[in-house]
Amino acid sequence: MSKVRFRAGRALSTLPYGVMGLVGIAELATPTGFGLLPLMSLGPAFAGLVGSKRRTARIGMVAVLLCVLLAAYDGTLGKRRVYIAAISVAGVTAAGLAAVAMRERRDAELASVRSIAEVAQRVLLRPVPRVAGQLRVAVSYTSAVAQARIGGDLYEVVASAGGTRAIIGDVQGKGLEAVETAALVLGAFREAAHDEPELAGLGRRLGRAVDRELQGEKFVTALLVEVAPGGHEVTFLNFGHPAPLLVRADGTTAFPEPRQYALPLGLGLHGGEDPSPYTVAFVPGDQLLLYTDGVSEARDGTGDFYPLADRVALLKDPDPDAALEGLRTDLVDHAAGPLHDDAAMLLLRHRED
């Protein structure tokens, strides 16, 4: 994508000169007085697409100079059509300068918004610890909005006295409301993960916090994970979230699912039972991929979902960050364009004893 943008930018940079050159050639090839000189204004018109005000003004001056030289060449210098052409070039150059000024102001505002978004991301989605208890951790977040840094997906890893606990979740909806809800869930998780002795208690506390704040049909799917110190098991608590991908040391895979899915966070007031914890073996050499539906539901050009289970070979890299980056790149390639939903992935590897 960067090469394409570079080539497009270079083409736009040379376009004004190319257009003026073609107009000059056409003026020389047509009979005197044919009236092509006003088309020189296309040069400064295209100049406003990229570059600075100084560059646009310079191209406008070049266009006026070409008008004068061509008029002198065919003996029409001083005639009305030459003045009309010069005025046309000057007017379009002035409009181009105004457009450049507006574009530069908009770019500055966008840069400011991006800077604020990056700060918000560091506060909301803090860097996860690379090592937590018996786990090595890597994380990836891909926003569906090209200019955005954060969205409604959330994740966190906390090393507490009771073990290492992690959460991954997906807020229903988009925009600032989704970000606010994600901040609510993460704040409640970061506090309760250190206080609650059991994963079920942590889940109930999250449910109460979200039920108090969310209105209407808003909800958050979430998966809570706990690896006790010294243990060879991992415990899950699933609030309507996609099942994690468990990759064994021998390369076999599984998607551990609860016996019965519970309602997402925020829908507790609508009735339904709390989720029940369930446990599977998790030994050195195993790895666990937590993800949001932006991964599992990413479609290619033919409408096929991303085949996550078929891509486990990408997770063989000894460096968990490199492994997750390889999977993220493959996901984007599969979508063959911008993702339609945010995609968060959290990779937990059981370290060798």
Side-chain angles (χ1 to χ4, degrees):
M1 292 297 291
S2 58
K3 290 183 178 179
V4 173
R5 293 193 187 99
F6 174 76
R7 291 172 182 171
R10 188 163 64 175
L12 288 175
S13 297
T14 58
L15 181 60
Y17 299 103
V19 169
M20 290 188 297
L22 290 175
V23 172
I25 294 172
E27 174 68 18
L28 293 173
T30 54
T32 301
F34 197 74
L36 295 179
L37 283 182
L39 293 180
M40 281 294 177
S41 61
L42 291 174
F46 287 123
L49 297 176
V50 294
S52 64
K53 294 190 289 291
R54 180 177 298 179
R55 176 177 177 273
T56 301
R58 183 171 64 248
I59 292 176
M61 293 173 63
V62 171
V64 172
L65 179 61
L66 286 174
C67 288
V68 173
L69 292 176
L70 289 170
Y73 177 80
D74 60 18
T76 60
L77 186 62
K79 293 190 175 181
R80 185 172 59 183
R81 75 181 190 92
V82 179
Y83 292 119
I84 293 175
I87 293 172
S88 298
V89 171
V92 173
T93 301
L97 289 172
V100 171
M102 293 176 62
R103 174 169 54 80
E104 289 180 344
R105 183 167 63 250
R106 185 175 64 251
D107 290 345
E109 292 174 353
L110 179 58
S112 177
V113 170
R114 285 179 175 175
S115 177
I116 294 172
E118 289 171 355
V119 173
Q121 183 187 40
R122 288 194 292 269
V123 174
L124 178 60
L125 299 178
R126 301 181 305 198
V128 298
R130 297 307 180 191
V131 177
Q134 295 174 285
L135 303 177
R136 295 182 66 192
V137 183
V139 68
S140 170
Y141 190 102
T142 305
S143 174
V145 182
Q147 306 298 343
R149 297 292 193 273
I150 55 177
D153 287 2
L154 59 97
Y155 55 81
E156 182 61 287
V157 177
V158 172
S160 65
T164 301
R165 289 172 169 174
I167 183 174
I168 192 162
D170 187 356
V171 179
Q172 179 249 354
K174 302 291 183 183
L176 290 177
E177 290 187 358
V179 175
E180 291 173 355
T181 303
L184 166 69
V185 175
L186 287 173
F189 174 80
R190 287 164 180 160
E191 179 181 357
H194 291 282
D195 299 338
E196 294 294 337
E198 296 181 352
L199 196 62
L202 172 57
R204 287 192 294 270
R205 190 159 164 182
L206 284 182
R208 290 194 297 269
V210 176
D211 287 342
R212 282 195 303 267
E213 299 295 334
L214 294 192
Q215 303 289 331
E217 298 298 322
K218 297 178 182 178
F219 60 85
V220 183
T221 68
L223 177 67
L224 305 184
V225 180
E226 179 182 78
V227 179
H232 285 171
E233 293 180 333
V234 57
T235 303
F236 302 101
L237 196 64
N238 196 315
F239 291 88
H241 198 77
L245 171 61
L246 178 61
V247 184
R248 299 295 186 189
D250 60 4
T252 58
T253 62
F255 288 89
E257 294 185 283
R259 292 182 179 179
Q260 183 175 357
Y261 275 91
L263 291 174
L265 294 167
L267 299 181
L269 299 179
H270 296 264
E273 297 181 358
D274 292 335
S276 299
Y278 58 103
T279 301
V280 298
F282 191 56
V283 299
D286 291 348
Q287 51 186 332
L288 189 65
L289 180 69
L290 316 179
Y291 56 90
T292 58
D293 59 11
V295 176
S296 56
E297 296 182 2
R299 296 175 183 265
D300 61 11
T302 62
D304 292 333
F305 289 118
Y306 182 65
L308 182 59
D310 298 335
R311 298 297 199 266
V312 293
L314 297 172
L315 298 176
K316 289 183 178 180
D317 194 301
D319 181 357
D321 290 298
L324 202 54
E325 176 59 24
L327 187 63
R328 190 200 71 82
T329 301
D330 186 71
L331 173 68
V332 174
D333 291 342
H334 174 84
L339 299 177
H340 295 293
D341 196 4
D342 297 339
M345 294 184 286
L346 189 62
L347 182 62
L348 309 177
R349 282 186 173 176
H350 198 306
R351 295 192 296 160
E352 299 290 342
D353 292 334

